[in-house]
Amino acid sequence: MVVTNSKYLKLRWINNVPNSWKIVAFQYILDFSVGFTPPTNKSEFYDSDDYDWVTISDLNSKVIFETKNKLSQKGVDNSGKLPVKKGSLLYSFKLSIGKVAFAGKDLYTNEAILAIVPKYDRCLGYLYYMLPIILEQNANINIYGAKIFNQEVINSSLIPVPPIQTQARIAEFLNKKTSEIDTIILKKEQMLLSLEEKKKTIIDETATKGLNPSASMKDSGIEWIGEIPEHWEVKPLGYLGSCQNGVSKGGDYFGEGYPFVSYGDIYKNYELPTQIEGLAKSSEEDREAYSVLYGDVFFTRTSETIEEIGIASTCLKTIENAVFSGFTIRFRPYNLKELYPEYSKYFFRSNYIRVSLVKEMNIVTRASLSQTLLKSLKVILPSYEDQKNIVLYFEKQFQIIDEAKEKISNQIDKLKEYRQSLISEAVTGKIDI
């Protein structure tokens, strides 16, 4: 394969391309439009199934035929925007950048998505793989370290353009290869989910039946749980401690100052991280009212989906001067000798908690968890000694599971790296196809 350094090429990461390829600025071969979001306080713009409206969360399929969010005729008319035509490439350029999909029908997008169409005859399959790489490499970095785009950056981005037949061959090659890799990744991700469910099954069974199969049992008073060990108790959460919603402030409150425990810190972890990235300009009063202490349990409070509500994370080391997100609720036990924090870490993350809360969850336009509902949650309470013994059992069992998960996660990371490398080399002519 003959390659040459192009006098037009400014992107060092490409280095060189085949002689038959061209390097062209985005604006000369592609047009793009940016979507819109109607005012969120006007429900009449949304309360309809008239038009599909793509948000970043929809960009998980290669072709989009249906969206979770819809716009009414009034919402579309208010925007003054024309629909994105079927076959256009949709590319996320804000927040979660680099996600790409085809429009499987005429639709609309929000303001975080570019709709890209060729000015001339181009293979859209090639552009599907090439554009995310090129645009991300051309992005600027803002003061917060995030990648950002503007119209000038997009239009001046340099794009390698092979002959149309070569574009088609590259697209066909990558369709086949990435499909094979994605199939393997999917199977491994399903293995991770199965291992995580195995952990929750162990928690559920042990936290409701204990470690001694010959122990005397009694009716729990919870119909779908049945019997529990005779010396265990069942108490509403509100009898065991107090609840407090997190701090709710405007955007200027965040980004600098003192530690801030975010929704994501809670959602992603059984145990609250001791090193957190979030910062907030909290006052002394804030830090007292919204403190984060050993033994506290934090629950996700509100989201667009019920699956993300009531997820718990336990603080096992006090985070000095920290406050926590207004999208969460803090439960603080009255007596840590009654509710062992290391036991809370597992118990409140169990399927039992999820099922109990979802049965009574308030669903309107968003799912939400109230303090009243949380306080009424029935806590199955082993003796303090039993809690400690159960934690030891969990840690032994979960060490084996977590080691298996780590091994699979490393395999997935390597497959994703290989996939990205394969795409990059193919769309820049580094491999013969």
Side-chain angles (χ1 to χ4, degrees):
M1 179 173 62
V2 179
V3 296
T4 183
N5 289 317
S6 170
K7 65 181 180 179
Y8 302 107
L9 191 59
K10 299 178 183 177
L11 300 179
R12 293 180 181 177
W13 69 278
I14 294 181
N15 192 26
N16 45 47
V17 295
N19 276 325
S20 60
W21 291 31
K22 297 178 181 179
I23 301 295
V24 183
F26 184 105
Q27 61 188 323
Y28 296 120
I29 63 170
L30 299 169
D31 280 326
F32 72 88
S33 61
V34 178
F36 67 97
T37 298
T40 55
N41 62 344
K42 294 192 175 182
S43 60
E44 67 267 27
F45 291 165
Y46 301 91
D47 291 345
S48 171
D49 287 339
D50 291 344
Y51 297 99
D52 287 285
W53 184 58
V54 180
T55 63
I56 290 176
S57 62
D58 293 306
L59 300 182
N60 294 319
S61 302
K62 189 169 184 179
V63 183
I64 297 175
F65 295 102
E66 190 74 18
T67 61
K68 292 183 291 185
N69 300 289
K70 310 288 183 178
L71 293 179
S72 67
Q73 183 67 58
K74 188 172 183 179
V76 167
D77 292 343
N78 179 74
S79 73
K81 296 276 189 176
L82 295 174
V84 172
K85 293 298 183 183
K86 176 182 178 180
S88 301
L89 277 174
L90 308 178
Y91 179 85
S92 61
F93 73 106
K94 291 182 181 179
L95 302 176
S96 177
I97 71 167
K99 294 179 112 180
V100 64
F102 290 103
K105 60 190 291 189
D106 289 359
L107 41 72
Y108 293 87
T109 74
N110 74 1
E111 76 284 355
I113 297 173
L114 300 175
I116 301 170
V117 293
K119 289 185 177 180
Y120 311 108
D121 187 26
R122 301 280 174 236
C123 176
L124 286 175
Y126 169 74
L127 294 175
Y128 171 84
Y129 291 107
M130 182 270 294
L131 283 175
I133 299 174
I134 298 298
L135 291 180
E136 184 169 351
Q137 289 290 333
N138 280 271
N140 292 325
I141 305 296
N142 69 11
I143 61 173
Y144 300 109
K147 291 189 175 183
I148 59 171
F149 296 96
N150 57 39
Q151 185 166 327
E152 183 180 353
V153 168
I154 294 167
N155 277 327
S156 62
S157 295
L158 297 176
I159 297 174
V161 183
I164 188 66
Q165 298 89 346
T166 304
Q167 293 180 39
R169 286 201 304 273
I170 291 172
E172 183 180 0
F173 169 79
L174 289 176
N175 283 341
K176 181 176 184 296
K177 291 297 184 181
T178 58
S179 178
E180 292 171 354
I181 296 169
D182 289 344
T183 297
I184 299 172
I185 290 174
L186 179 60
K187 289 180 179 178
K188 292 187 177 296
E189 288 175 338
Q190 289 170 339
M191 290 170 65
L192 287 179
L193 290 174
S194 295
L195 287 169
E196 187 61 27
E197 281 304 309
K198 184 177 180 181
K199 286 178 69 172
K200 290 184 177 180
T201 298
I202 291 172
I203 294 172
D204 286 341
E205 291 177 351
T206 309
T208 56
K209 304 302 178 186
L211 295 172
N212 182 5
S214 60
S216 298
M217 307 294 279
K218 68 178 180 182
D219 183 18
S220 66
I222 305 170
E223 183 178 353
W224 55 282
I225 292 297
E227 293 187 328
I228 60 174
E230 191 172 39
H231 61 292
W232 289 15
E233 297 181 88
V234 176
K235 292 184 179 181
L237 189 69
Y239 281 52
L240 300 173
S242 61
C243 291
Q244 169 72 53
N245 285 13
V247 62
S248 183
K249 301 283 186 177
D252 293 343
Y253 186 79
F254 305 100
E256 58 182 277
Y258 295 91
F260 173 73
V261 176
S262 70
Y263 186 102
D265 292 327
I266 294 163
Y267 182 81
K268 296 174 184 177
N269 301 286
Y270 278 58
E271 177 182 336
L272 205 62
T274 54
Q275 298 296 321
I276 54 177
E277 296 180 1
L279 297 173
K281 300 173 187 176
S282 56
S283 65
E284 185 176 347
E285 291 77 13
D286 290 341
R287 295 192 293 277
E288 182 177 349
Y290 307 107
S291 57
V292 180
L293 306 182
Y294 171 68
D296 289 346
V297 183
F298 297 86
F299 295 85
T300 55
R301 184 177 67 84
T302 181
S303 177
E304 292 180 356
T305 62
I306 196 168
E307 290 79 11
E308 296 180 356
I309 301 302
I311 304 297
S313 182
T314 301
C315 177
L316 295 185
K317 184 177 180 181
T318 295
I319 304 176
E320 299 293 343
N321 295 314
V323 296
F324 60 98
S325 168
F327 295 109
T328 67
I329 299 176
R330 181 192 69 201
F331 164 71
R332 175 165 291 170
Y334 295 136
N335 182 0
L336 296 184
K337 289 292 185 180
E338 187 173 29
L339 190 56
Y340 183 44
E342 282 74 4
Y343 179 76
S344 295
K345 167 184 172 179
Y346 298 111
F347 175 72
F348 288 109
R349 197 79 176 197
S350 67
N351 285 321
Y352 165 74
I353 298 297
R354 296 287 305 125
V355 173
S356 298
L357 293 176
V358 167
K359 282 176 176 289
E360 305 296 334
M361 202 76 73
N362 176 30
I363 306 296
V364 190
T365 55
R366 290 174 65 87
S368 63
L369 171 63
S370 68
Q371 286 191 33
T372 301
L373 174 57
L374 189 59
K375 289 176 182 178
S376 68
L377 174 70
K378 293 182 178 179
V379 177
I380 300 171
L381 199 63
S383 68
Y384 185 72
E385 286 303 314
D386 281 355
Q387 291 180 43
K388 294 178 72 174
N389 289 332
I390 288 171
V391 168
L392 292 175
Y393 172 76
F394 285 159
E395 289 176 347
K396 183 178 180 180
Q397 295 296 314
F398 297 163
Q399 181 180 356
I400 300 169
I401 294 174
D402 289 341
E403 287 173 355
K405 287 179 65 177
E406 183 178 6
K407 183 178 180 180
I408 295 169
S409 294
N410 289 337
Q411 292 171 350
I412 291 173
D413 288 342
K414 285 183 171 61
L415 284 165
K416 288 181 176 179
E417 289 173 7
Y418 172 63
R419 185 185 192 277
Q420 192 62 26
S421 175
L422 190 67
I423 292 172
S424 181
E425 290 184 353
V427 300
T428 56
K430 300 298 188 298
I431 53 179
D432 284 314
I433 297 174

